[in-house]
Amino acid sequence: AELDTLDIVVLAAILLGTVAYFTKGKFWGITKDPYASSFANANGAKAGKTRNIVEKLDESGKNCIIFYGSQTGTAEDYASRLAKEGKSRFGLETMVADLEDYDYDNLDEIPSDKIVMFVLATYGEGEPTDNAVDFYEFIYNDDVSFSSGNEPPLGNLNYVAFGLGNNTYEHYNSMVRNVDKALQKLGASRIGQAGEGDDGAGTMEEDFLAWKDPMWKALQEKMGLEEREAVYEPVFGIVERDGFTKDSPEVYLGEPNKMHLDGSPKGPFNAHNPYIAPIAKSYELFSVKDRNCLHMEVDISGSNLTYQTGDHIAVWPTNPGAEVDRFMNVLDLTHKRDDVISVKALEPTAKVPFPTPTTYDAIVRYHMEICAPVSRQFLATLAAFAPDEEAKAEMTKLGGDKDYFHSKVNIYHFNIARVLETVGKGKKWSNVPFSALIEGITKLQPRYYSISSSSLEQPKMISITAVVEQQYLPGREDPFRGVATNYLLALKEKQNGEPNPAPFGQTYEIMGPRNKYTGIHVPVHVRHSNFKLPSDPTKPIIMIGPGTGVAPFRGFIRERKRQAEHGEEVGKSILFFGCRKESEDFMYADEWKEAKAVLGDKLEIVTAFSRDGPKKVYVQHRLKEKAKEVNELLEKKAYFYVCGDAANMAREVNTVLGQILAEQRGIPETKGEEIVKNMRAANQYQEDVW
Ligand code: FAD
């Protein structure tokens, strides 16, 4: 294939990058920054990039492509790990690819000596992730057709598949199951089992590890691959940019892209480009000392963002200062945290997950999920760079022994820096290549929140209802604290008069890069969801929303109140809400009273306080008590909504509803379950669970 100009520019940049990498930037005297645009080119800018996989494989000399369908970054991370392992153990020429970046009508032209891997997360109610929608619609379709007309169409295709799912959802791992089915039907050959990871059981990582070894073995046999001693090869080159300081205007200090760097962020605002939104107000919803739940009003009037009641807002967090410091310290980066570097993919198909030139501090603070669970495989990789033999042996053991890892790392919710501190016994891990950290640590992900306002009432103000994540873990000194919610708590404290907020001793750079977020701002974008009120407001609705699961229902109820105030007729609305104690965490109690004053009998709030009485009472118990009324409303075609905890509550509610229907209608329980299933299929039963 012919090289176009962009390829030549990219190739030149890589050559330059490689030279610079080996010379540590010594001869770096150029003023124009050849890296400045590489982030945009490598990450999403489509100009000049081919969408033809066959062409891509040819021109890049790759023989193994790993596609990912990812929503929260885990599938993408697994794809990168497969790519690395394939290369280091078997010498495969691997590349990772976003499903969204290619077309699939010539999948049949991929020759049989190449391997295609699919790492596919299932999202929500058995849906593809946003980046996999087009691929899924193409492949899982009876009329799928390909360019060459081979028979069977995918007779040449050798593929590998792993799915990421959650067994608490009805359509467990349906993406990988359906794609696998479709590929088989088209004559493709699967190598190894189609793996399934289960987030619901909390075994995703272990499921992945357990799946991949037999898969590699099968692949080795099928393709005749030789295993070699795995050596670490960096994917990224780090170039020290002596000509810059952290105050140079070209240097990214946490700005997500060029527009933000230039101080002129523009829409469309989305998962690649957040809106830096002012927080209009924020307050605490609980009246108990050691637990927090935040209500925040995010003003989107300065943007072209829109939302509908029931949508989600994504918050882009920054890491807490104490954990950034810990990470810097144990990896011996503190002395150069503000040094300016460029990061270049050493091979053309790898993507640098943040814009450069930037500083170590900015990368760690704004772009790396440094507090997240540690992967066992990553610890094994880092063993090679341990400060001494003892630490090396310990890392190898942690990497290889699932139960040992669980007892030493998992139960304390340790993050990577805490593991390194413990294993290294205070020694610094100076030998770890920074590239290994970029490869081994996922990029910092936005967190989603179910919008708790009504777009009818306040189209340009989005509210968030978020419980601040903290867990006391036996054997661990300080409680585990969630990243985004503690960052939001700091913002709330700042807004309400705390000059230097440091919730639980954690500080945040809440003014953002270059103080761009002063005046209490938070980076956000909106994700549209299918969790929606019936279009006919006279339809009754039944809402099950304990804890923060109440968030979207606050929006629903405010919407109906608003409609009633404008003289519209609205249907009956019942909310089942549960929490621990009426006096502690019964959020929005006053608002329900106000809504009731307008809606009267049309609104019913049913509460379950689990710790107020001698017996624990949950929403599903209350639902059962109201069996008769629930059944009557469903006979009037009420919509049924469940929001909140996916692991237990949502599942039990589903079961209880089946029982209610059976009992009230005098039918067998299996029939009741079937009706619930049909309600789901008809969108009459909707879930927004996490
Ligand atoms: P994180 O730091 O992300 O931690 C979250 C959890 O991950 C921890 O509790 C722990 O179990 C695990 N974890 C993290 N680090 C480690 C570690 N090192 N070791 C082991 N385990 C670890 N939340 C709300 O409060 N209100 C809402 O309305 C709401 N709506 C949502 C809607 C959707 C569609 C989704 C997907 C989620 C929603 N959530 C909501 C949850 C929210 O997105 C966040 O997950 C939650 O706020 C925690 O974020 P965090 O960054 O504070 O915690």
Side-chain angles (χ1 to χ4, degrees):
E2 245 179 304
L3 288 176
D4 60 21
T5 345
L6 184 80
D7 288 323
I8 292 168
V9 171
V10 170
L11 278 175
I14 291 160
L15 249 173
L16 217 55
T18 316
V19 171
Y21 175 67
F22 289 117
T23 57
K24 289 260 180 206
K26 229 182 263 159
F27 304 119
W28 203 266
I30 318 171
T31 42
K32 181 158 169 13
D33 187 354
Y35 293 134
S37 64
S38 72
F39 178 73
N41 288 335
N43 297 271
K46 303 285 189 274
K49 264 185 39 172
T50 179
R51 294 186 54 83
N52 181 328
I53 328 165
V54 179
E55 207 171 285
K56 181 78 193 180
L57 288 170
D58 269 354
E59 75 191 20
S60 60
K62 302 292 178 187
N63 57 14
C64 174
I65 183 163
I66 301 135
F67 286 111
Y68 62 85
S70 191
Q71 196 72 33
T72 60
T74 315
E76 182 177 354
D77 177 45
Y78 287 4
S80 313
R81 284 160 61 181
L82 289 173
K84 266 202 87 65
E85 198 171 343
K87 178 150 184 103
S88 62
R89 281 178 64 188
F90 303 104
L92 284 165
E93 292 302 330
T94 54
M95 69 173 280
V96 173
D98 186 334
L99 272 172
E100 179 171 78
D101 288 347
Y102 293 90
D103 298 323
Y104 298 93
D105 53 349
N106 65 349
L107 206 56
D108 58 336
E109 289 171 30
I110 295 185
S112 60
D113 60 348
K114 312 237 189 239
I115 301 143
V116 179
M117 300 195 180
F118 295 97
V119 183
L120 302 170
T122 298
Y123 196 65
E125 304 271 311
E127 290 146 40
T129 55
D130 293 347
N131 76 326
V133 170
D134 290 347
F135 164 70
Y136 188 61
E137 276 175 8
F138 175 81
I139 203 84
Y140 195 64
N141 179 338
D142 287 337
D143 298 326
V144 56
S145 75
F146 295 94
S147 47
S148 75
N150 291 344
E151 214 29 72
L154 299 184
N156 280 330
L157 188 75
N158 288 311
Y159 74 99
V160 162
F162 183 80
L164 296 84
N166 184 320
N167 75 33
T168 55
Y169 289 78
E170 165 98 6
H171 301 276
Y172 176 53
N173 257 314
S174 63
M175 259 307 271
V176 73
R177 289 180 184 180
N178 291 343
V179 168
D180 185 45
K181 219 183 298 166
L183 292 171
Q184 300 265 339
K185 200 169 128 197
L186 293 163
S189 316
R190 192 186 64 227
I191 299 172
Q193 297 294 316
E196 293 185 354
D198 185 3
D199 206 24
T203 53
M204 184 69 82
E205 171 79 11
E206 291 302 336
D207 295 337
F208 175 68
L209 297 179
W211 162 79
K212 76 180 177 50
D213 284 327
M215 179 280 290
W216 286 125
K217 203 158 264 145
L219 188 68
Q220 210 184 337
E221 270 160 33
K222 167 98 184 179
M223 312 301 281
L225 303 173
E226 294 262 352
E227 178 152 10
R228 54 185 198 180
E229 172 127 24
V231 276
Y232 174 75
E233 282 176 59
V235 173
F236 301 104
I238 312 298
V239 188
E240 283 164 17
R241 307 295 303 273
D242 296 341
F244 290 110
T245 72
K246 78 175 180 29
D247 298 318
S248 312
E250 301 88 339
V251 174
Y252 288 86
L253 296 181
E255 293 91 346
N257 58 42
K258 185 91 167 61
M259 290 184 293
H260 284 265
L261 182 70
D262 294 344
S264 53
K266 274 196 304 285
F269 297 106
N270 53 35
H272 306 285
N273 184 30
Y275 173 59
I276 311 299
I279 298 178
K281 64 176 172 184
S282 51
Y283 51 85
E284 174 63 51
L285 290 168
F286 287 175
S287 41
V288 54
K289 231 178 151 232
D290 60 345
R291 292 195 298 141
N292 298 86
C293 187
L294 306 169
H295 180 90
M296 304 191 117
E297 298 275 335
V298 178
D299 184 352
I300 54 166
S301 58
S303 74
N304 52 3
L305 284 172
T306 59
Y307 81 102
Q308 280 187 333
T309 312
D311 283 343
H312 299 138
I313 182 168
V315 168
W316 296 46
T318 62
N319 283 312
E323 293 302 330
V324 174
D325 292 349
R326 184 194 305 280
F327 185 94
M328 291 289 174
N329 184 47
V330 74
L331 285 150
D332 201 15
L333 296 168
T334 308
H335 63 282
K336 56 176 180 180
R337 67 192 302 160
D338 290 329
D339 286 5
V340 177
I341 54 172
S342 284
V343 176
K344 187 69 211 169
L346 293 176
E347 56 143 307
T349 56
K351 286 182 186 176
V352 181
F354 42 77
T356 69
T358 183
T359 64
Y360 289 101
D361 187 283
I363 296 171
V364 173
R365 193 180 298 275
Y366 290 99
H367 300 292
M368 281 183 171
E369 199 76 72
I370 56 165
C371 295
V374 177
S375 101
R376 208 146 63 69
Q377 200 180 358
F378 185 45
L379 296 188
T381 307
L382 292 184
F385 309 106
D388 56 35
E389 286 304 313
E390 194 191 340
K392 182 175 181 175
E394 179 69 1
M395 289 294 269
T396 310
K397 185 165 179 197
L398 287 170
D401 184 337
K402 170 176 157 183
D403 298 328
Y404 188 63
F405 174 81
H406 183 76
S407 71
K408 292 280 178 185
V409 178
N410 244 2
I411 57 168
Y412 304 121
H413 281 23
F414 278 166
N415 58 34
I416 185 64
R418 287 178 189 243
V419 174
L420 297 182
E421 275 179 351
T422 313
V423 173
K425 302 199 168 128
K427 287 199 181 139
K428 291 193 201 293
W429 293 63
S430 319
N431 300 328
V432 178
F434 197 67
S435 176
L437 300 172
I438 304 175
E439 295 156 40
I441 299 173
T442 7
K443 64 177 177 229
L444 190 56
Q445 297 291 326
R447 293 350 189 222
Y448 289 103
Y449 295 90
S450 303
I451 292 177
S452 60
S453 50
S454 149
S455 57
L456 180 69
E457 182 185 33
Q458 44 181 67
K460 283 292 176 182
M461 192 74 81
I462 289 179
S463 66
I464 297 178
T465 306
V467 73
V468 177
E469 181 72 26
Q470 63 165 358
Q471 289 174 39
Y472 293 88
L473 302 163
R476 175 174 158 149
E477 276 172 27
D478 57 333
F480 166 85
R481 304 201 184 279
V483 174
T485 49
N486 285 281
Y487 163 62
L488 291 176
L489 179 60
L491 285 167
K492 185 221 114 189
E493 288 189 356
K494 173 92 182 168
Q495 179 154 55
N496 291 280
E498 180 61 60
N500 298 305
F504 314 109
Q506 312 223 70
T507 55
Y508 293 83
E509 213 167 72
I510 50 181
M511 309 283 234
R514 295 187 165 86
N515 293 335
K516 281 174 181 162
Y517 307 173
T518 46
I520 323 292
H521 283 70
V522 61
V524 298
H525 71 268
V526 171
R527 182 173 192 275
H528 298 289
S529 87
N530 299 323
F531 195 76
K532 290 285 165 306
L533 276 164
S535 50
D536 173 1
T538 64
K539 282 243 164 75
I541 54 175
I542 301 166
M543 299 165 279
I544 320 289
T548 46
V550 79
F553 303 135
R554 176 181 182 269
F556 282 17
I557 290 171
R558 294 191 73 99
E559 181 133 336
R560 289 207 153 178
K561 172 172 168 257
R562 184 77 169 188
Q563 287 166 331
E565 283 166 346
H566 285 101
E568 270 185 74
E569 194 195 330
V570 299
K572 172 104 193 196
S573 312
I574 307 190
L575 169 69
F576 290 84
F577 173 78
C579 64
R580 290 188 191 169
K581 289 175 177 242
E582 182 164 13
S583 60
E584 288 187 355
D585 51 359
F586 184 15
M587 54 235 242
Y588 301 124
D590 293 342
E591 291 197 21
W592 306 142
K593 282 188 200 131
E594 286 164 27
K596 194 126 179 74
V598 175
L599 290 164
D601 289 346
K602 296 284 174 161
L603 176 64
E604 191 178 342
I605 309 281
V606 182
T607 52
F609 301 113
S610 65
R611 300 194 186 175
D612 269 349
K615 240 179 68 194
K616 293 205 165 171
V617 189
Y618 296 114
V619 282
Q620 53 271 34
H621 303 130
R622 295 287 188 236
L623 186 64
K624 210 155 199 181
E625 288 167 17
K626 294 267 174 191
K628 186 160 178 289
E629 189 178 358
V630 167
N631 182 50
E632 281 167 10
L633 289 174
L634 289 176
E635 276 171 343
K636 291 185 202 145
K637 292 275 167 284
Y639 276 47
F640 193 91
Y641 301 91
V642 186
C643 179
D645 168 39
N648 305 303
M649 183 276 297
R651 199 180 238 199
E652 284 177 32
V653 167
N654 186 96
T655 310
V656 166
L657 187 63
Q659 292 164 352
I660 289 176
L661 291 172
E663 177 201 294
Q664 293 291 315
R665 298 183 186 180
I667 51 176
E669 255 189 47
T670 48
K671 196 87 187 129
E673 281 164 26
E674 204 181 302
I675 298 176
V676 176
K677 241 190 195 141
N678 294 338
M679 283 172 63
R680 282 178 181 268
N683 254 348
Q684 197 194 340
Y685 187 121
Q686 299 183 19
E687 269 183 353
D688 182 24
V689 296
W690 58 85

